[in-house]
Amino acid sequence: MHDHILDEMTDALMSGGVIAPAQRAAAHAALAASWIERIALVWSVADVYALAGDLGMAVSDGQALTILSTIHEEHDCTLGVTWNTIDTELSLRIA
């Protein structure tokens, strides 16, 4: 897992009150150890907004979340998720 994603996860634990700031380094290390033998490709609403902007589309927060959720639930695991996947969902959902 990329370090910046681990940072975001650790920060979410802190802001959610799950860990104290003094536990940040230990939590980050535990997350890093948990991900050492795995990978995950992370897409965010920022990616949806960026592509929508490039295509001249306006997307609400709710629409961006729906697009990500739909992709997560319905993507073809043999093909993965690409910019084309997001483009297709934008085209289907944003007129």
Side-chain angles (χ1 to χ4, degrees), residues 3-20:
D3 200 52
H4 71 277
I5 300 294
L6 295 173
D7 287 340
E8 290 175 12
M9 288 191 274
T10 306
D11 291 344
L13 291 171
M14 281 189 353
S15 67
V18 176
I19 62 168

Side-chain angles (χ1 to χ4, degrees), residues 7-93:
D7 287 340
E8 290 175 12
M9 288 191 274
T10 306
D11 291 344
L13 291 171
M14 281 189 353
S15 67
V18 176
I19 62 168
Q23 297 169 307
R24 186 182 194 290
H28 189 281
L31 287 168
S34 173
W35 281 97
I36 199 75
E37 294 180 355
R38 305 177 225 188
I39 65 167
L41 305 177
V42 179
W43 293 89
S44 72
V45 292
D47 298 313
V48 177
Y49 296 138
L51 184 56
D54 290 348
L55 298 172
M57 298 176 168
V59 178
S60 71
D61 292 343
Q63 289 170 317
L65 288 171
T66 297
I67 287 167
L68 281 181
S69 177
T70 301
I71 290 169
H72 181 251
E73 295 298 323
E74 299 178 5
H75 78 280
D76 182 338
C77 64
T78 61
L79 300 174
V81 176
T82 68
W83 287 108
N84 288 338
T85 311
I86 297 172
D87 188 342
T88 298
E89 283 300 317
L90 279 167
S91 298
L92 291 172
R93 298 187 179 280

